[in-house]
Amino acid sequence: MNTIASLSNNLPTFFQGLKLMGFGMTGIFLVLLLLFALVKVLIKLFPPKTQ
């Protein structure tokens, strides 16, 4: 019974951590999207030279 009481005390902290982790994953996703877009733009600006 003690573990259930301690779990119910820790659940709000766990869900706050999930929210923070979601922000972190969103930030990583946006950075990767920005890098992908940057590479696409640079390839269009400087196309590979063909002989």
Side-chain angles (χ1 to χ4, degrees), residues 6-24:
S6 113
L7 182 64
S8 66
N9 288 338
N10 290 335
L11 274 179
T13 308
F14 174 71
F15 286 121
Q16 286 173 357
L18 278 183
K19 184 178 177 184
L20 185 65
M21 195 162 53
F23 284 131

Side-chain angles (χ1 to χ4, degrees), residues 18-34:
L18 278 183
K19 184 178 177 184
L20 185 65
M21 195 162 53
F23 284 131
M25 290 175 70
T26 304
I28 290 170
F29 179 74
L30 288 175
V31 166
L32 288 175
L33 193 66
L34 183 71

